[in-house]
Amino acid sequence: MEMIQKVFRKTRMFGELVMFSHTLFSLPFAVISMVWAAGGIPSAHVMLWSLIALVGARNGANAFNRLVDRRFDEANPRTAHRHMPRKLLREREVTLFVAVNFAIFILAAGMLNPLCLWLAPVAIVLICSYSYTKRFTWLCHLYLGFTIASAPIGAWFAVTGQFAVTPFILGTIVMLWIAGFDIIYATQDIEFDRKTGLWSVPSLFGYEDSLFIARSLHMIMVVLLLALFFIQGLGWIYLGGIGAAAVLLAIEHNIIKPSNRQRMNVASYNLNQVISMVILFCTMADFFLR
């Protein structure tokens, strides 16, 4: 019984380490991409291995980021409670977790098609390199969005094995969305980033200008979502979903308060999880009910 409890405890800690619940940021757009690519519900084989690939890549990338940033997390009062600074998870354990998840990702990519398998190592390099971008560029937020944008792009490749314009528009939407709320979240660390020499939009441009940049990125995101209305020949349900997402984004920008961690978590995480699910539900309803 004690061994089982230990396993569950470690599993929970790894889930917290990689913020598994945040899979809702990329998964809905990957599902949309797969359905559009297949012209309906993809085969069970594609759905299963695409989901495994997504989870493996995301878990590996997040754990790698925690591994690389462990010294900064220890020094930052906001992140000092995380598992690695508190020695709840050892470096060796996290390194093994990274390797296993990337191995699962490559296996899943190989089960999909040759293009996915060929691109898998490239994807690993890209998503891992994000962890170093705050050391030399304030574009790190866009790069984070760029790596997560691989979810809808990869999902399209998983179904068709071919390049197309639509998944790259979806990917750009994800990139702008993620970058926008990552900038909002980073406003909490302006002084820490400046003190330690880390690069970010808030540390370079300051609080007000950073929020303006985040709003601008989200406005472009909404414009691109509207562009897909015409490109994909979508209907009023999709349009209603985009309207609801725009309202939620406006609420997100109105409740920001860096001194209030709970508000920042709601603005940067909770609301955005709702936004992604609203877009998914309305897009799928529009596709299948028209």
Side-chain angles (χ1 to χ4, degrees):
M1 178 64 75
E2 186 178 342
M3 179 62 69
I4 294 174
Q5 289 177 341
K6 185 177 180 180
V7 170
F8 275 116
R9 188 164 58 250
K10 283 286 185 181
T11 302
R12 187 186 72 251
M13 284 194 290
F14 275 114
E16 293 167 349
L17 177 80
V18 299
M19 297 181 291
F20 188 77
S21 62
H22 294 177
T23 306
L24 286 178
F25 293 143
S26 55
L27 180 60
F29 288 93
V31 171
I32 291 170
S33 186
M34 280 193 287
V35 169
W36 282 354
I41 299 176
S43 68
H45 175 87
V46 169
M47 289 284 284
L48 173 64
W49 288 108
S50 295
L51 179 61
I52 292 172
L54 175 65
V55 172
R58 189 196 171 282
N59 285 351
N62 277 26
F64 183 81
N65 181 249
R66 290 286 178 262
L67 196 61
V68 170
D69 279 355
R70 62 192 181 280
R71 301 294 179 235
F72 295 115
D73 287 345
E74 287 175 1
N76 188 342
R78 186 181 63 80
T79 57
H81 69 283
R82 289 176 176 172
H83 299 79
M84 294 199 71
R86 292 170 58 198
K87 310 296 189 233
L88 297 176
L89 290 171
R90 293 174 292 178
E91 292 180 22
R92 183 175 58 186
E93 292 176 313
V94 177
T95 300
L96 179 61
F97 182 80
V98 170
V100 168
N101 274 278
F102 282 150
I104 291 172
F105 169 56
I106 292 173
L107 171 65
M111 294 298 294
L112 288 165
N113 57 57
L115 177 61
C116 289
L117 179 60
W118 183 80
L119 289 175
V122 179
I124 290 174
V125 171
L126 290 175
I127 59 182
C128 285
S129 58
Y130 156 70
S131 300
Y132 299 98
T133 54
K134 282 196 73 172
R135 291 156 170 79
F136 62 87
T137 177
W138 54 269
L139 294 173
C140 53
H141 313 282
L142 279 168
Y143 194 86
L144 172 64
F146 169 72
T147 62
I148 298 176
S150 62
I153 296 171
W156 187 283
F157 293 162
V159 174
T160 68
Q162 299 176 345
F163 287 86
V165 173
T166 296
F168 285 96
I169 297 176
L170 271 173
T172 303
I173 289 167
V174 171
M175 180 182 72
L176 296 171
W177 175 47
I178 297 291
F181 74 73
D182 192 55
I183 290 171
I184 292 171
Y185 195 70
T187 57
Q188 299 174 97
D189 293 329
I190 292 177
E191 295 308 319
F192 178 80
D193 288 349
R194 287 173 175 171
K195 180 181 177 181
T196 55
L198 290 175
W199 290 64
S200 69
V201 165
S203 68
L204 181 66
F205 294 99
Y207 179 70
E208 293 297 339
D209 287 345
S210 296
L211 295 186
F212 173 77
I213 292 169
R215 284 194 299 270
S216 299
L217 293 176
H218 284 162
M219 287 175 66
I220 299 170
M221 167 200 171
V222 173
V223 169
L224 289 177
L225 283 167
L226 290 173
L228 285 175
F229 170 76
F230 299 101
I231 293 170
Q232 293 295 116
L234 301 170
W236 67 269
I237 301 178
Y238 172 85
L239 210 54
I242 302 313
V247 170
L248 289 169
L249 283 169
I251 293 172
E252 174 182 327
H253 285 272
N254 281 323
I255 67 172
I256 297 165
K257 189 176 182 181
S259 61
N260 187 320
R261 186 175 298 178
Q262 185 175 3
R263 273 199 186 189
M264 295 305 290
N265 284 333
V266 170
S268 299
Y269 294 133
N270 303 112
L271 273 175
N272 284 293
Q273 289 175 333
V274 175
I275 287 169
S276 64
M277 294 308 295
V278 166
I279 293 174
L280 172 65
F281 177 79
C282 291
T283 302
M284 292 298 95
D286 188 273
F287 184 89
F288 289 108
L289 297 180
R290 278 191 300 126

